[in-house]
Amino acid sequence: MVLGVDPGLQVTGWGIVVATGGELRALDSGAVATNRRHAPEERLHQIFRELCDVIARWQPAEVAVEDPFVGRNVRSAFAIGEARAVALLAAAQAGLPVRPYSPAEVKLTVTGYGRSEKAQVQELLLMQLSIETPPETTDAADALAVALCHHLRRRAEARLKEAR
């Protein structure tokens, strides 16, 4: 079972994906939405507490976290980095290994094309995880895509290991 995290200071998405037999399934997903009026440290503490609750509830074996895409807005990049650090801390506190993935890696693994649009990622995510209704937020969907990416990468690594 893998917890996928799409970090953000305003909204941090999370999703739980499990492999049963040869099938991958989404068990749950959600988002931690923080209030812009609160101080950044309060918002980060909220993200930390809620991710710790998700970890305690689902007890994943691993955590996959999307690395921030650093565009032109440095302030946004720092905020995303802080939210990512909180996710790493929640995983470390639970003794869980963490694997980072860039947005392009997630898109490439889930869709076969590293520059896929969000709609394409979500469409393939729904098909690969047999989800009938999309997650409530795009952040939760992105987190499920990160967890799916991790499972698919682990499978590919295992196959390569067996072939050697």
Side-chain angles (χ1 to χ4, degrees), residues 68-81:
F69 170 77
V70 180
R72 294 177 189 228
N73 189 334
V74 175
R75 181 173 279 169
S76 290
F78 276 123
I80 292 168

Side-chain angles (χ1 to χ4, degrees), residues 38-58:
H38 293 165
E41 63 273 14
E42 292 175 32
R43 296 167 77 183
L44 291 168
H45 189 235
Q46 177 188 350
I47 294 166
F48 176 75
R49 281 192 329 266
E50 292 192 35
L51 287 178
C52 286
D53 289 347
V54 169
I55 290 169
R57 184 175 347 127
W58 288 104

Side-chain angles (χ1 to χ4, degrees), residues 76-97:
S76 290
F78 276 123
I80 292 168
E82 289 171 342
R84 181 181 180 277
V86 166
L88 298 178
L89 180 60
Q93 180 173 293
L96 299 174

Side-chain angles (χ1 to χ4, degrees), residues 131-145:
I131 300 172
E132 292 180 21
T133 54
E136 288 183 30
T137 68
T138 58
D139 302 283
D142 290 348
L144 284 171

Side-chain angles (χ1 to χ4, degrees), residues 26-160:
L27 295 182
D28 198 6
S29 65
V32 180
T34 64
N35 188 328
R36 286 180 176 233
R37 293 187 204 132
H38 293 165
E41 63 273 14
E42 292 175 32
R43 296 167 77 183
L44 291 168
H45 189 235
Q46 177 188 350
I47 294 166
F48 176 75
R49 281 192 329 266
E50 292 192 35
L51 287 178
C52 286
D53 289 347
V54 169
I55 290 169
R57 184 175 347 127
W58 288 104
Q59 299 184 353
E62 298 175 279
V63 177
V65 178
E66 187 170 80
D67 274 339
F69 170 77
V70 180
R72 294 177 189 228
N73 189 334
V74 175
R75 181 173 279 169
S76 290
F78 276 123
I80 292 168
E82 289 171 342
R84 181 181 180 277
V86 166
L88 298 178
L89 180 60
Q93 180 173 293
L96 299 174
V98 177
R99 182 137 174 211
Y101 294 97
S102 71
E105 280 181 286
V106 173
K107 291 174 182 179
L108 179 64
T109 304
V110 173
T111 69
Y113 180 59
R115 293 183 166 202
S116 297
E117 298 293 324
K118 276 191 180 277
Q120 292 171 304
V121 174
Q122 286 192 18
E123 186 177 323
L124 286 165
L125 176 76
L126 296 176
M127 288 179 6
Q128 291 183 53
L129 296 177
S130 302
I131 300 172
E132 292 180 21
T133 54
E136 288 183 30
T137 68
T138 58
D139 302 283
D142 290 348
L144 284 171
V146 174
L148 173 61
C149 171
H150 183 70
H151 273 290
L152 295 173
R153 289 285 176 113
R154 283 281 192 233
R155 277 187 184 171
E157 289 167 3
R159 287 181 185 143
L160 284 172

